[in-house]
Amino acid sequence: MTSSLRPHGDRKPPSPPDQQTQRSRQSARAPSARQRDAFFDNAKYLAIVLVGVGHAWGQILDGNPAVEACYRVLYTFHMPAFIVVSGYFSRGFDLSPRRVKRLITGVAVPYLVFEVAYTLHRRAGEDPQSDFSLLDPTYLLWFLCALFVWRLTTPVWRTVRWPLPIALAIAALASVTPTVDNDLNMQRVLQFLPCFVLGLVLRPEHFRLVRRRSVRLLSVPVVAAALLIAWWSVPRMETGWFYRNAAVQDTVAPWWSGPVLTLALFGCSVVLTACFFAWVPGRRMWFTALGAGTIYGYLLHGFLVKEGTYAGWFEHPVLDRPLGEIGLTVLGAAVITLLCTKPVQRVMRYVVEPRMDWAFKREPGEAAGGGGKGEKTEARETTSTAPAAPSGSGSGEKVSV
């Protein structure tokens, strides 16, 4: 009699279909939220390798048109690729206390620490009277200054109606604005600004578009044409244009060439960056995990390049031969790879990614000593140095290199 009152006997009635579906979806989403996007990690690793190779090539350009042609193609897209990714993962940045804290500890503090370190290194290796200046970034530290400014202006670009045209207009005007010493390298900040804004307006489907097989095949003749144009430009165009760190007044070119070349270089950067992304693998590779440590390779490899310049390593005659150039290329890639590994990250984390909880006010509702761990976990899952899936919001709280 009792069982007749229970249509399913002793079995527990099944959950409604909508609840079962919801649970299965939640369980399916749980692992993916913790997974890193292999595509962006691969892109960052390959780009930082190209940065190291480019800095090595930059020491042997004299009298070597083949290396200089490759160098110009590389400098057309490798930093724009970094900056586009930085902008893409800065889409969710706002001026909330948590994200401002990450901006300070992940960008401002490393800049201060490494500016002091590079200055001391220059004094020891080249010029004992070298000046120390926070307003004149040493070597590759300009990127941290630029990223700090770009991130602070992110809410502006997310608000205006035509962000990319406005950024291009600012870059073009910057190219005809006389350069001022000790100005935080504002020429690069402004001339590379469109690349950052482009990253802000990109969506996941844009990255999927450039990774299509047709785009991958088309990129081969495009890069070949870029190499030919770069070879042609070596005796006809100054390499300094590719650095975007000066105004046209610093050259002998007419004033109108500044805006024209700025816009032309941006167009070339977009095309070659798309070609680069087209060939970045989307699956996990042996180097995928190194994508989380690219900021370490970026900041540390400059000491080796500068030491080689001070000590005359790049003046060895063997580097004037093809075999020496190939060896230098392989060495540069190997060194930058080692500097991105976990052991280096563990040793240098306290200066590259400091916690500094003691320096900030505790947010309302945050338990004593409890906010740091959660914040660190979230930063690892959603920031640009450890990106989540491309469909995520991307807080962009760390530097993406």
Side-chain angles (χ1 to χ4, degrees):
M1 177 66 68
T2 303
S3 60
S4 64
L5 298 177
R6 300 173 60 182
H8 299 284
D10 294 333
R11 293 177 300 169
K12 183 180 179 180
S15 301
D18 55 340
Q19 294 183 8
Q20 290 182 338
T21 303
Q22 183 177 4
R23 289 174 184 174
S24 62
R25 288 177 179 176
Q26 289 177 350
S27 61
R29 284 198 302 262
S32 62
R34 295 189 296 269
Q35 291 176 354
R36 302 174 59 88
D37 190 330
F39 170 76
F40 285 102
D41 275 343
N42 293 339
K44 289 189 295 178
Y45 167 76
L46 295 174
I48 195 62
V49 166
L50 294 178
V51 168
V53 170
H55 285 160
W57 285 350
Q59 313 305 315
I60 59 172
L61 295 181
D62 293 341
N64 200 329
V67 173
E68 185 164 358
C70 295
Y71 179 83
R72 291 185 176 202
V73 172
L74 192 59
Y75 266 69
T76 302
F77 77 89
H78 76 329
M79 284 310 299
F82 269 140
I83 297 167
V84 166
V85 173
S86 297
Y88 180 72
F89 283 99
S90 296
R91 293 171 299 158
F93 181 84
D94 54 27
L95 296 179
S96 63
R98 177 175 58 84
R99 290 189 169 124
V100 170
K101 174 184 175 181
R102 293 303 308 157
L103 182 64
I104 293 173
T105 59
V107 179
V109 172
Y111 170 73
L112 297 175
V113 171
F114 279 87
E115 182 60 47
V116 173
Y118 272 103
T119 301
L120 295 177
H121 183 242
R122 185 169 63 249
R123 288 182 177 181
E126 183 186 38
D127 180 13
Q129 305 300 323
S130 179
D131 293 332
F132 170 76
S133 174
L134 293 179
L135 300 180
D136 186 14
T138 300
Y139 197 30
L140 45 73
L141 296 180
W142 69 268
F143 180 73
L144 297 184
C145 292
L147 188 61
F148 189 86
V149 174
W150 294 333
R151 286 260 171 86
L152 286 179
T153 62
T154 295
V156 175
W157 304 114
R158 300 290 292 172
T159 302
V160 298
R161 180 170 295 179
W162 304 290
L164 190 56
I166 294 174
L168 286 170
I170 292 174
L173 291 174
S175 68
V176 294
T177 302
T179 304
V180 179
D181 292 336
N182 297 329
D183 63 350
L184 291 177
N185 216 327
M186 289 302 295
Q187 279 293 342
R188 274 176 164 163
V189 173
L190 298 178
Q191 291 193 37
F192 278 113
L193 175 63
C195 298
F196 182 81
V197 176
L198 175 62
L200 288 176
V201 301
L202 288 178
R203 297 188 298 273
E205 54 265 31
H206 296 130
F207 288 96
R208 291 194 292 267
L209 179 65
V210 299
R211 295 165 61 189
R212 296 168 58 182
R213 186 173 183 272
S214 58
V215 178
R216 189 176 299 116
L217 295 177
L218 182 61
S219 66
V220 176
V222 170
V223 173
L227 286 169
L228 290 176
I229 295 173
W231 177 281
W232 173 86
S233 72
V234 168
R236 297 173 176 86
M237 179 180 176
E238 294 183 7
T239 306
W241 284 107
F242 294 87
Y243 302 143
R244 281 94 150 178
N245 64 350
V248 69
Q249 287 87 341
D250 300 323
T251 70
V252 295
W255 70 269
W256 52 265
S257 62
V260 170
L261 280 175
T262 297
L263 298 178
L265 281 174
F266 174 76
C268 294
S269 298
V270 171
V271 172
L272 290 180
T273 297
C275 293
F276 169 73
F277 285 142
W279 282 95
V280 172
R283 64 185 185 278
R284 291 196 63 83
M285 308 290 288
W286 65 267
F287 53 79
T288 301
L290 300 177
T294 51
I295 180 62
Y296 295 85
Y298 182 81
L299 293 175
L300 295 174
H301 86 279
F303 289 105
L304 297 176
V305 176
K306 284 298 184 181
E307 183 62 30
T309 303
Y310 302 153
W313 298 346
F314 300 106
E315 298 174 5
H316 198 284
V318 72
L319 296 180
D320 296 329
R321 304 167 189 167
L323 189 59
E325 296 161 0
I326 295 174
L328 181 63
T329 302
V330 173
L331 180 62
V335 168
I336 207 77
T337 298
L338 290 174
L339 293 177
C340 295
T341 56
K342 290 293 184 182
V344 175
Q345 294 181 44
R346 284 194 293 267
V347 172
M348 299 300 300
R349 189 180 301 276
Y350 67 99
V351 293
V352 177
E353 299 177 284
R355 293 284 297 277
M356 295 183 61
D357 293 335
W358 53 268
F360 300 95
K361 295 179 180 180
R362 189 175 302 160
E363 296 183 40
E366 180 182 355
K373 182 177 180 180
E375 178 181 297
K376 185 175 181 180
T377 302
E378 178 181 357
R380 287 182 177 178
E381 293 178 356
T382 62
T383 59
S384 56
T385 52
S391 59
S393 62
S395 63
E397 295 166 1
K398 290 186 183 179
V399 57
S400 174
V401 288

